[in-house]
């Protein structure tokens, strides 16, 4: 069966050009970038070219870019690294209720280490109010951590406004941009960002590589101690093929970002309009317009997201109920509950995320299959019988 992949937010397939760019670094350019001989220098050149690509995408100096093993590591280093390196300056961090677990659990860990953590709420669209951030800042605050766009519901946060607030207050601003890096324009100076985390496998690059942008003069301790790689900000031999592939993915994103976003916005809006128009008791989760071009997230009353996933999968459609990292858990999404969505409705959520290789025909297939599957599941649902006695959904 041919699969229809609608889970690009979980991970993107690597582009053929990316794989091609990586291959020489597995085969005939195996040198360690720390070695001073010519083969080592080939590896070094590959890493530095990729660093320049990152810098050009987010408009920073290449020396501000640290390659990591993934987005999670970059988030961990930003939060733990700032708390460790600035202990004498303060003991308070601010974050939001809809962060990815890479940030949420890191903040909880810092709390268990004695750091004070303020979690700012969001509105029904999953949007943070910058004035809540402003109110939460004290003279002990070291860091504000807010994601650029949410991985489950796609809501894009008012980063520039928050950046102005953190600049005025003189506190560091960390942005988890894993879902937007290479998809939405990012200018770290314009947005007032001091630390920015990204990951290779969300923009058609390889898995196992990420990066942390660190503004000059930002005090951040390393997580890994050992060699002097990455200017002593991240020890460990560089993943040269992965970094080179990440660089190639960035180069391609710079060329194709705008066109891809336009195409995906069209697919997204068609999908939303059609499903909301044809399936009753269905809700769009996330902001109606300030959302990622590729993200659709619905809640269907009376049925479980997992059941929808299984039926879609049986027809070759790969989707998700929320974050890939927590979709195996039976707990309702912390993002949806933070938005005030009742637990029952949160359990009926479905995320469809599209990408470069999504086609009109695939979107049409989902538009045909999803209402049929929802109707079938509702026919079987004890919740429908309990609450409505009878109902027609199509
Ligand atoms: N932050 C966000 C918003 C994400 O969506 C993800 C992955 O889904 C991560 C962090 C973690 O990135 P990685 O998988 O590279 O560790």
């Amino acid at each position: 069966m041919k699969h229809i992949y609608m889970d690009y937010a979980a991970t993107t397939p690597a582009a053929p050009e990316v794989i091609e760019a990586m291959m020489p670094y597995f085969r005939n350019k195996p040198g360690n970038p720390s070695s001073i001989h010519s083969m080592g220098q080939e590896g070094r050149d590959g890493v530095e070219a990729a660093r320049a690509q990152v810098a050009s995408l987010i408009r920073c100096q290449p020396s501000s870019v640290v390659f990591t093993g993934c987005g999670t590591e970059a988030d961990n280093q930003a939060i733990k690294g700032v708390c460790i390196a600035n202990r004498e300056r303060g003991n308070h961090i601010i974050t939001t209720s809809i962060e990815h677990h890479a940030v949420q659990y890191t903040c909880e860990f810092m709390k268990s280490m004695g750091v004070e953590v303020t979690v700012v709420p969001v509105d029904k669209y999953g949007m943070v109010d910058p004035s809540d951030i402003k109110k939460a800042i004290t003279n002990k605050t070291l860091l504000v951590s807010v994601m650029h766009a949410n991985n489950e519901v796609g809501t894009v946060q008012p980063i520039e406004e928050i950046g102005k607030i953190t600049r005025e207050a003189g506190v560091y601003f960390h942005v988890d941009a894993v879902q937007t890096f290479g998809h939405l324009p990012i200018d770290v100076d314009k947005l007032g960002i001091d630390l920015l985390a990204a990951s290779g496998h969300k923009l058609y690059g390889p898995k196992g590589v990420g990066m942390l942008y660190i503004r000059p003069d930002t005090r951040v301790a390393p997580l890994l101690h050992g060699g002097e790689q990455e200017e002593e900000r991240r020890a460990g031999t560089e993943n040269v093929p992965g970094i080179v592939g990440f660089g190639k993915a960035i180069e391609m994103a710079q060329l194709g970002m705008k066109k891809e976003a336009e195409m995906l916005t069209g697919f997204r809006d068609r999908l939303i309009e059609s499903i909301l128009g044809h399936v009753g008791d269905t809700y769009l989760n996330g902001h109606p317009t300030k959302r990622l071009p590729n993200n659709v997230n619905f809640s269907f009353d009376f049925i479980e997201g997992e059941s929808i996933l299984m039926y879609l999968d049986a027809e070759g459609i790969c989707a998700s109920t929320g974050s890939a990292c927590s979709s195996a858990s039976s707990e309702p999404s912390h993002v949806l509950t933070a938005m005030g969505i009742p637990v029952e409705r949160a359990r009926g959520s479905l995320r469809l995320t599209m990408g470069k290789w999504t086609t009109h025909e695939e979107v049409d297939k989902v538009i045909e299959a999803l209402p049929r599957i929802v109707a079938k599941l509702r026919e079987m649902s004890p919740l429908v019988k309990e609450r409505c006695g009878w109902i027609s959904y199509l």
Side-chain angles (χ1 to χ4, degrees), residues 352-369:
L352 298 158
T353 48
M354 297 163 284
K356 207 193 257 299
W357 294 290
T358 304
T359 64
H360 278 287
E361 292 71 29
E362 289 179 338
V363 175
D364 287 343
K365 171 72 187 159
V366 175
I367 287 174
E368 180 275 318

Side-chain angles (χ1 to χ4, degrees), residues 9-10 70-72 75 100 102 147 149 151 176 178-179 199 201-202 325:
C70 55
T72 300
D75 283 331
H100 187 273
M147 70 200 317
N151 48 302
D176 175 342
V178 169
Q179 290 291 336
S199 179
H201 72 107
K202 308 287 185 177
C325 320

Side-chain angles (χ1 to χ4, degrees), residues 91-103:
N91 193 29
H92 176 224
I93 56 181
I94 298 169
T95 187
T96 82
S97 53
I98 45 116
E99 297 300 311
H100 187 273
H101 286 159
V103 167

Side-chain angles (χ1 to χ4, degrees), residues 25 66 121 159 210 235 243 264:
Y25 293 87
V66 175
I159 294 299
I243 291 171
L264 294 176

